[in-house]
Amino acid sequence: MTPMKAVVGIDGSKYGDWALEWVAKLPLKAAPSIVGVHGLDTQTVPTSLITHPSVSGNEPDEGEVIHFLESQAKQVVAYSGQRMKALGLKGSVRVERQAIAKVLLKHAGRNGLVVVGSRGLNALDRLMMGSVSTAVTIHASGPVLVVKEPPKPIRRILFATDGSPSSGKALRFLTGQFQVKSAADPIGILLVHVMPFLRYTVVKEAGEKLLAQEAAKLEKSGYRVREFPRVGPAAEEILKVVGREQPDLIVIGAKGRSAVAGFLQGSVSTKIVQRSDCSILVVR
């Protein structure tokens, strides 16, 4: 299997560290090729850094601020390179003089996995990784892993499906890219399908059929599956299952069925990225 490219946002925050550590923990069949990226957007140096008085009482000018950010970037790259080596990850770390979201999307291309922290350094440090994770999730052409917490062994994955092409890609990611543990200790899948109230009897039958079909595919790959048919607003119902079952990772398609079908999976994935405390893999 050709190794997947993983483009990781690094910024010197704990979330940037967690992003690298999550890549090392993902149960991928082939070790990914890593590109660690630190975005240094000197074109939009924050006014707060320029006008905020220093300890001596003098106000730094723009050049001093840029010099500080460049020095900080070198430290981040050096540290991240050391972390990659310690984690057994192979690849490179670089600084790009662009907004970090654009850089991540550029390096990922159409199919690369983007891994980004849900938050980063504070506003004074000019990185604002929280808004970056939302932008990347919306605009990426490939899968995006938004890291919310320290990495952990992945034992239970919540997979939210609606039968759409995007959900199909998420299912193929689970069956094609992830290495399921031994038959004696397989990864568990919490398979969630949320049905709308509209024409409930017809939708219920279709939903049960979908769950059975997708459960069979997952079990064939070696996963242990529990089915969760739900009724109501999709994001809210998925988050209820997340809160009760406490999965190690959420997997969801980026876009789903049409608005007429009542799913709006694109906005559902965005809501879950913003509201869940669990790390989430959004697949396109």
Side-chain angles (χ1 to χ4, degrees):
M1 174 179 288
T2 303
M4 174 181 293
K5 178 195 284 187
V7 182
V8 184
I10 54 174
D11 66 349
S13 72
K14 65 181 181 182
Y15 287 88
D17 284 352
W18 291 348
L20 284 174
E21 292 166 8
W22 261 95
V23 176
K25 286 282 189 181
L26 286 176
L28 294 169
K29 291 181 178 179
S33 172
I34 309 296
V35 179
V37 182
H38 179 77
L40 182 59
D41 188 6
T42 57
Q43 299 302 312
T44 56
V45 176
T47 304
S48 61
L49 278 177
I50 298 173
T51 59
H52 184 71
S54 66
V55 175
S56 64
N58 298 320
E59 295 182 359
D61 60 22
E62 183 174 339
E64 290 176 321
V65 173
I66 291 175
H67 177 73
F68 167 77
L69 293 177
E70 289 174 339
S71 175
Q72 186 181 59
K74 290 180 181 178
Q75 294 176 21
V76 169
V77 168
Y79 172 75
S80 298
Q82 293 171 359
R83 288 297 299 142
M84 284 177 57
K85 185 176 181 180
L87 292 166
L89 298 173
K90 295 183 179 180
S92 61
V93 186
R94 65 191 67 188
V95 176
E96 296 267 1
R97 292 179 178 272
Q98 296 184 58
I100 184 62
K102 291 183 179 180
V103 173
L104 292 170
L105 295 173
K106 178 184 74 174
H107 282 286
R110 292 190 58 82
N111 300 311
L113 169 67
V114 178
V115 185
V116 63
S118 61
R119 293 187 178 91
L121 296 176
N122 60 35
L124 188 62
D125 293 306
R126 184 57 190 99
L127 291 159
M128 301 298 290
M129 195 61 81
S131 60
V132 171
S133 62
T134 299
V136 170
T137 302
I138 293 171
H139 297 293
S141 299
V144 177
L145 173 62
V146 180
V147 171
K148 300 288 193 92
E149 57 194 341
K152 61 183 74 173
I154 296 178
R155 304 302 312 130
R156 295 200 301 171
I157 298 172
L158 185 146
F159 172 40
T161 180
D162 67 353
S164 67
S166 185
S167 284
K169 289 182 179 179
L171 177 65
R172 289 192 292 275
F173 192 102
L174 286 169
T175 58
Q177 297 291 343
F178 278 2
Q179 178 67 56
V180 184
K181 304 295 183 182
S182 65
D185 187 26
I187 294 175
I189 295 285
L190 312 172
L191 181 60
V192 180
H193 175 58
V194 183
M195 296 166 280
F197 289 108
L198 180 66
R199 299 177 61 194
Y200 176 65
T201 301
V202 175
V203 171
K204 180 175 182 291
E205 293 177 358
E208 290 174 347
K209 182 178 179 181
L210 171 66
L211 282 172
Q213 290 174 338
E214 304 216 338
K217 293 176 183 177
L218 290 161
E219 288 170 347
K220 184 178 180 180
S221 293
Y223 291 104
R224 183 181 66 253
V225 181
R226 293 168 57 199
E227 298 177 17
F228 291 82
R230 309 287 293 186
V231 178
E236 284 71 14
E237 291 301 318
I238 292 168
L239 288 169
K240 285 179 184 178
V241 179
V242 171
R244 186 173 69 245
E245 299 294 331
Q246 297 293 303
D248 302 311
L249 177 67
I250 300 169
V251 177
I252 190 171
K255 295 181 181 179
R257 297 188 178 277
S258 67
V260 175
F263 289 92
L264 291 171
Q265 192 82 354
S267 61
V268 169
S269 61
T270 302
K271 287 179 182 177
I272 294 174
V273 167
Q274 293 173 341
R275 293 168 54 186
S276 174
D277 293 328
C278 180
S279 295
I280 174 170
L281 176 66
V282 181
V283 181
R284 279 184 173 78

